[in-house]
C-alpha cells in the first residue's frame, strides 16, 4: 500500500508598501474586502467565496501572533505554521493557502496589490476555492529589527470539495502501458468488469473514510472481482492516494517493489482502473485523489 501523499499548499507572499489612506466607513474592512473579491469572481464566472469561521478566527489569531513576535510571516519561528494551526482548530478543508500583506490601509488597496501578483489569478479566481477567512489589524506592528509597519492583512483560502482530474482513469491506463512497454512487456487490455471492481473500491474508501486493500467488512480484491462475476486465475491490486497526475501514480508504484510486482507482472494480461477525487477523511486529516488498479490473469 502506498502511503498517502497529502498535500495542503501554503504560500508566503510578503510586501511592505509605503502608501496610507483612510479606511472605508460603510463596512468593516474584512467584509468590504470579501465583497470586492466576490465581485471579481462573479465577473469571471466563479461562485462567491463563503466566510469560514475557523479560517476567520485563525486569520485573526495570526495577526495577534505576528504582533507579539514582531514578524510579518506565515512561519513564526519555533511555532506551528499557519496550516498546522488551522488543522488543529478542526478545519477539514482539503487545501489551505494564505496571504499576508502589510501597509495597505484599505480593502481597495489590498485588492489592487493582490491583482498585481500571479497569485490573484491562481488563488483568488481558482474555481475550486470556496471558503475564505480575512482579518485586518489597522494598528502598528513593531518588528524585531525596530522598524514599524501596520495595517496588516491575513487572508486564508480553502476548498471543501476535491478537485477532479480530467480523464484520470484513462490516463492511468495509458501511463501503465507506457511504463510496461518501456520494460519490454506487453500492454494490458482494459476489462470493464475489473474497472467496475476498481471504481467500486475507490468509491467505498471515499465513502467510509479508509485507505486499504481490506475493506472494513473484510472485502478483498478477490471478493470484489468475484462480485463482478468474473473468474480469474490470479488477481492483484494497487492503490494510491494524493497524487495529482497518473504519471506520478505509476512512478510511485514503480519505486515500490510490492506495487511494481503487480504493475510489471508478466502473468497479468488485463487491467481495470478506478479513480475518484474524494475527499476522504483519514484519521481526521482530509485528502483526495484515490487511484485503484486491478490486475488479472484469466483462467486457462
Amino acid at each position: 500500500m502506498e502511503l498517502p501523499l497529502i498535500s495542503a499548499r501554503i504560500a508566503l507572499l510578503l510586501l511592505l508598501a509605503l502608501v496610507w489612506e483612510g479606511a472605508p466607513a460603510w463596512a468593516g474592512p474584512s467584509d468590504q474586502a470579501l465583497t470586492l473579491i466576490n465581485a471579481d469572481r462573479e465577473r469571471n464566472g466563479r461562485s462567491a467565496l463563503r466566510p469560514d469561521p475557523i479560517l476567520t478566527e485563525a486569520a485573526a489569531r495570526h495577526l495577534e501572533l505576528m504582533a507579539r513576535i514582531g514578524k510579518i510571516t506565515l512561519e513564526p519561528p519555533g511555532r506551528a505554521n499557519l496550516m498546522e494551526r488551522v488543522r488543529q482548530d478542526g478545519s477539514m478543508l482539503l487545501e489551505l493557502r494564505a496571504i499576508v500583506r502589510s501597509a495597505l490601509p484599505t480593502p481597495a488597496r489590498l485588492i489592487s496589490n493582490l491583482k498585481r501578483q500571479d497569485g490573484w489569478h491562481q488563488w483568488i479566481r481558482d474555481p475550486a476555492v470556496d471558503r475564505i477567512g480575512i482579518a485586518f489589524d489597522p494598528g502598528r506592528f513593531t518588528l524585531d529589527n525596530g522598524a514599524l509597519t501596520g495595517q496588516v492583512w491575513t487572508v486564508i483560502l480553502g476548498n471543501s470539495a476535491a478537485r477532479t482530474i480530467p480523464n484520470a482513469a484513462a490516463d492511468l491506463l495509458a501511463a501503465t502501458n507506457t511504463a510496461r512497454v518501456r520494460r519490454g512487456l506487453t500492454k494490458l487490455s482494459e476489462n470493464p468488469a475489473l474497472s467496475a471492481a476498481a471504481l467500486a473500491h475507490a468509491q467505498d474508501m471515499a465513502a467510509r473514510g479508509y485507505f486499504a486493500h481490506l475493506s472494513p467488512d473484510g472485502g478483498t480484491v478477490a471478493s470484489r472481482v468475484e462480485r463482478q462475476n468474473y473468474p480469474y486465475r490470479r488477481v492483484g491490486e494497487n492503490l494510491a492516494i494524493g497524487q495529482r497526475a497518473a504519471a506520478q501514480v505509476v512512478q510511485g508504484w514503480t519505486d515500490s517493489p510490492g506495487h511494481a510486482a503487480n504493475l510489471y507482472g508478466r502473468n497479468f494480461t488485463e487491467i481495470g482502473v478506478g479513480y475518484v477525487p474524494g475527499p476522504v477523511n483519514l484519521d481526521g486529516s482530509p485528502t483526495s485523489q484515490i487511484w485503484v488498479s486491478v490486475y488479472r490473469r484469466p483462467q486457462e
Side-chain angles (χ1 to χ4, degrees):
M1 181 193 307
E2 183 162 305
L3 293 176
L5 298 177
I6 301 175
S7 161
R9 297 174 295 171
I10 285 195
L12 174 59
L13 297 173
L14 295 180
L15 187 63
L16 300 181
L18 297 176
V19 182
W20 305 78
E21 64 188 38
W26 59 270
S30 297
D31 291 337
Q32 186 183 9
L34 178 57
T35 298
L36 294 174
I37 288 171
N38 280 336
D40 179 270
R41 285 178 63 90
E42 182 179 359
R43 286 193 298 269
N44 289 274
R46 308 290 192 258
S47 60
L49 300 182
R50 293 174 52 189
D52 183 285
I54 292 178
L55 299 188
T56 301
E57 175 63 21
R61 285 191 287 105
H62 191 68
L63 289 177
E64 296 174 358
L65 174 61
M66 289 189 294
R68 289 201 307 272
I69 67 175
K71 285 185 178 295
I72 306 299
T73 178
L74 291 174
E75 303 285 343
R79 294 170 171 84
N81 63 33
L82 182 55
M83 178 192 70
E84 293 168 344
R85 284 183 277 120
V86 173
R87 290 280 185 239
Q88 292 167 4
D89 289 342
S91 175
M92 293 300 291
L93 297 178
L94 285 163
E95 297 177 4
L96 296 173
R97 312 169 186 184
I99 304 168
V100 169
R101 290 287 192 275
S102 67
L104 296 170
T106 69
R109 294 296 296 276
L110 170 69
I111 301 307
S112 177
N113 176 274
L114 292 177
K115 283 188 174 181
R116 293 198 297 268
Q117 311 295 322
D118 290 339
W120 174 269
H121 304 283
Q122 297 171 1
W123 300 353
I124 305 295
R125 290 180 182 170
D126 185 344
V129 171
D130 59 359
R131 300 291 190 273
I132 191 170
I134 306 176
F136 172 66
D137 189 332
R140 290 193 171 191
F141 284 40
T142 302
L143 304 184
D144 58 358
N145 63 1
L148 296 178
T149 188
Q151 299 165 327
V152 183
W153 298 84
T154 299
V155 180
I156 309 176
L157 303 161
N159 53 287
S160 59
R163 299 173 186 272
T164 298
I165 299 173
N167 306 312
D171 287 349
L172 181 56
L173 175 61
T176 295
N177 280 330
T178 296
R180 284 178 63 90
V181 169
R182 286 174 180 166
R183 293 199 174 196
L185 301 171
T186 59
K187 292 183 178 182
L188 301 176
S189 59
E190 183 182 13
N191 183 282
L194 297 181
S195 289
L199 178 60
H201 189 45
Q203 291 171 332
D204 187 57
M205 287 189 288
R208 295 202 275 179
Y210 70 99
F211 181 69
H213 294 289
L214 187 68
S215 68
D217 54 10
T220 64
V221 60
S223 65
R224 290 188 285 272
V225 172
E226 290 168 357
R227 196 174 299 126
Q228 300 297 324
N229 297 314
Y230 200 58
Y232 62 88
R233 181 175 179 181
R234 184 181 180 186
V235 69
E237 180 181 70
N238 280 355
L239 308 179
I241 192 168
Q243 294 85 349
R244 295 177 178 273
Q248 296 174 1
V249 175
V250 171
Q251 186 60 55
W253 289 342
T254 299
D255 296 339
S256 168
H259 294 90
N262 286 334
L263 179 63
Y264 300 113
R266 294 181 178 274
N267 291 325
F268 289 131
T269 60
E270 295 179 337
I271 187 175
V273 291
Y275 160 83
V276 295
V280 57
N281 178 9
L282 298 176
D283 298 324
S285 180
T287 188
S288 60
Q289 315 307 335
I290 303 172
W291 309 78
V292 180
S293 283
V294 177
Y295 310 88
R296 172 187 179 264
R297 178 182 178 181
Q299 288 182 335
E300 298 174 353

